[in-house]
């Protein structure tokens, strides 16, 4: 009896030490990378597996098209980093093999395709998710996920804390004995503060006067309690932005309430709540295949789809019908992040025209719709169309008028 308690205490002790060290590193803090001072921006392409490889190629086509002059001038360079497939990760028994991580670190930003996350009972060794590992290794603390449904006036931006919560020790829980298992949820003061601050800055810079912090602090009192307290403390520095707290359960309900949901604008939350809520939000936008996400850190940033590698689609021979919009949206976020806002806006307008307004080409994930390649070609014809902006404005006027 005592043995297992002692062993558990030792394990818990080691976890506490590890987290205290992480806090120290966070407190020292890097400076933000300033892309305008970089002579040549290096974009790493990590395409993953399953549908990841296919839809990432389409996103690459869009990026290369939009940045072609920069590539010629040598302002931007693309680098293929092929080692993030499940086969290679399984062979190395590592979430991200060392040499792949080194290559990633040589880049400034990464476009990352969905990667298979092993789960108990499947054919793969039970290694950690490549996404979760990359977010932690590169300290990509902010997962920014926009969801827009213009016809409904919905313009949401989710700021999901990306390096702690239920994820940071997600692979380090343990069974004390045959009957008792523990996982851990971790919220730190600097970890909560940096994501909350980023959300407030976004609200302030975009003239948005209210923000929502999503927790379950009435029940998960210590960690969510800290997250919520930190949000209200930081809120005092942003008097122009009114902060409200909503609990995750009612929040998931309210995203389905057509009378209420457009009132939400900027939402900030711990990791797992953000994971769940953003899938729900993306589904309302047209499916998880339509949503992209930015994983932002001070030194590196990574842009990806919000969904997984859909092995079922591959198995059923439907991979070419997978929706590339998630990765194309991620590419637009990447463009904005490295300073090409106008071009990002063009890609986003084309995505909205194709996916929300015009709907001439429809992706169904099966042969009842067009392939990802056909969709991308069509989208690029809009990006290139001199009428793009006026066509988009007309649609937006129709809604607001
Ligand atoms: C996401 C994904 C990942 C997560 C998985 C693939 C580990 O669902 O990016 O939302 O849970 O964060
Ligand atoms: Mg998710």
């Amino acid at each position: 009896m005592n043995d297992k308690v002692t062993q558990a205490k030792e394990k818990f002790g080691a976890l506490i030490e590890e987290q205290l060290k992480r806090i120290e590193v966070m407190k020292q803090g890097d400076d933000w990378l300033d892309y305008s001072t970089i002579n040549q921006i290096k974009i790493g392409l990590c395409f993953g597996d399953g549908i990841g490889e296919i839809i990432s190629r389409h996103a690459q086509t869009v990026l290369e098209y939009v940045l072609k002059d920069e590539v010629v001038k040598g302002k931007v360079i693309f680098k293929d980093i092929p080692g993030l497939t499940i086969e290679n990760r399984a062979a190395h028994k590592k979430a991200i093999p060392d040499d792949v991580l080194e290559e990633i670190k040589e880049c400034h930003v990464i476009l990352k395709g969905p990667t298979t996350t092993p789960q108990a009972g499947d054919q793969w060794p039970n290694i950690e998710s490549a996404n979760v590992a990359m977010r932690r290794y590169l300290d990509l603390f902010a997962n920014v996920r926009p969801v827009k449904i213009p016809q409904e006036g919905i313009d949401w931006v989710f700021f999901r804390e990306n390096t702690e919560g239920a994820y940071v020790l997600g692979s380090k829980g343990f069974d004390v004995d045959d009957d008792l298992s523990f996982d851990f949820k971790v919220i730190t003061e600097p970890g909560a503060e940096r994501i909350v601050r980023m959300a407030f800055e976004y609200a302030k810079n975009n003239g948005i006067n209210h923000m929502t912090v999503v927790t379950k602090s009435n029940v998960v009192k210590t960690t969510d309690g800290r997250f919520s307290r930190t949000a209200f403390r930081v809120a005092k520095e942003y008097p122009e932005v009114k902060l409200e707290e909503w609990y995750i359960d009612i929040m998931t309900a309210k995203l389905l309430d057509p009378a209420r949901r457009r009132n939400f604008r900027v939402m900030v939350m711990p990791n797992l709540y953000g994971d769940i809520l953003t899938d729900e939000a993306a589904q309302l936008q047209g499916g998880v295949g339509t949503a992209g996400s930015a994983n932002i850190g001070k030194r590196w940033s990574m842009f990806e789809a919000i969904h997984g590698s859909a092995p079922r689609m591959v198995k059923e021979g439907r991979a070419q019908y997978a929706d590339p919009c998630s990765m194309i949206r991620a590419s637009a976020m990447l463009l904005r992040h490295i300073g090409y806002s106008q071009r990002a806006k063009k890609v986003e307008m084309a995505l909205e025209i194709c996916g929300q307004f015009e709907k001439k080409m429809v992706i169904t994930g099966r042969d009842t719709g067009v392939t990802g390649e056909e969709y991308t070609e069509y989208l690029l014809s809009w990006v290139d169309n001199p009428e793009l902006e006026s066509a988009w404005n007309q649609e937006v006027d129709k809604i607001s008028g």
Side-chain angles (χ1 to χ4, degrees), residues 187-317:
I187 300 284
T188 67
E189 191 70 19
E193 176 162 347
R194 59 188 185 173
I195 184 73
V196 162
R197 216 171 258 292
M198 187 185 268
F200 270 112
E201 283 294 314
Y202 176 85
K204 183 179 146 185
N205 293 336
N206 289 279
I208 300 164
N209 63 8
H210 61 287
M211 201 170 106
T212 313
V213 57
V214 184
T215 70
K216 188 74 189 179
S217 67
N218 53 339
V219 176
V220 187
K221 290 183 190 294
T222 308
T223 46
D224 281 9
R226 180 183 289 279
F227 197 90
S228 151
R229 224 168 39 241
T230 307
F232 282 99
R233 172 171 64 73
V234 175
K236 292 193 190 119
E237 295 172 42
Y238 297 86
E240 66 278 48
V241 184
K242 185 174 176 303
L243 180 68
E244 266 191 336
E245 180 170 21
W246 282 66
Y247 297 135
I248 181 66
D249 49 350
I250 187 66
M251 191 73 206
T252 53
K254 285 299 158 192
L255 288 194
L256 301 180
D257 179 353
R260 276 308 297 253
R261 60 186 177 199
R262 76 173 66 91
N263 297 332
F264 296 106
R265 287 290 277 109
V266 181
M267 288 156 271
V268 63
M269 66 220 73
N271 211 337
L272 183 58
Y273 304 146
D275 178 44
I276 298 166
L277 212 53
T278 54
D279 265 15
E280 186 193 15
Q283 187 62 37
L284 296 169
Q285 177 181 259
V288 291
T290 64
S293 88
N295 295 260
I296 310 284
K298 288 187 166 172
R299 170 66 188 79
W300 295 279
S301 293
M302 179 267 277
F303 300 80
E304 61 177 348
I306 77 157
H307 57 79
S309 59
R312 192 177 305 144
M313 286 191 84
V314 180
K315 221 177 183 164
E316 294 172 6

Side-chain angles (χ1 to χ4, degrees), residues 112 114-117 128-133 135 143 145 160 162 167 271-272 274-276 278-279 293 295 302 304-309:
K112 180 191 155 296
T115 45
T116 298
T117 300
E128 191 185 24
S129 139
N131 308 35
V132 175
R135 292 166 187 166
N143 195 326
R145 298 184 159 180
R160 165 186 175 187
N162 213 23
Y167 280 66
N271 211 337
L272 183 58
D275 178 44
I276 298 166
T278 54
D279 265 15
S293 88
N295 295 260
M302 179 267 277
E304 61 177 348
I306 77 157
H307 57 79
S309 59

Side-chain angles (χ1 to χ4, degrees), residues 74-91:
K75 275 289 301 168
V76 169
I77 184 170
F78 289 98
K79 183 171 187 266
D80 267 312
I81 304 176
L84 217 57
T85 57
I86 183 67
E87 290 79 10
N88 194 44
R89 287 180 286 134

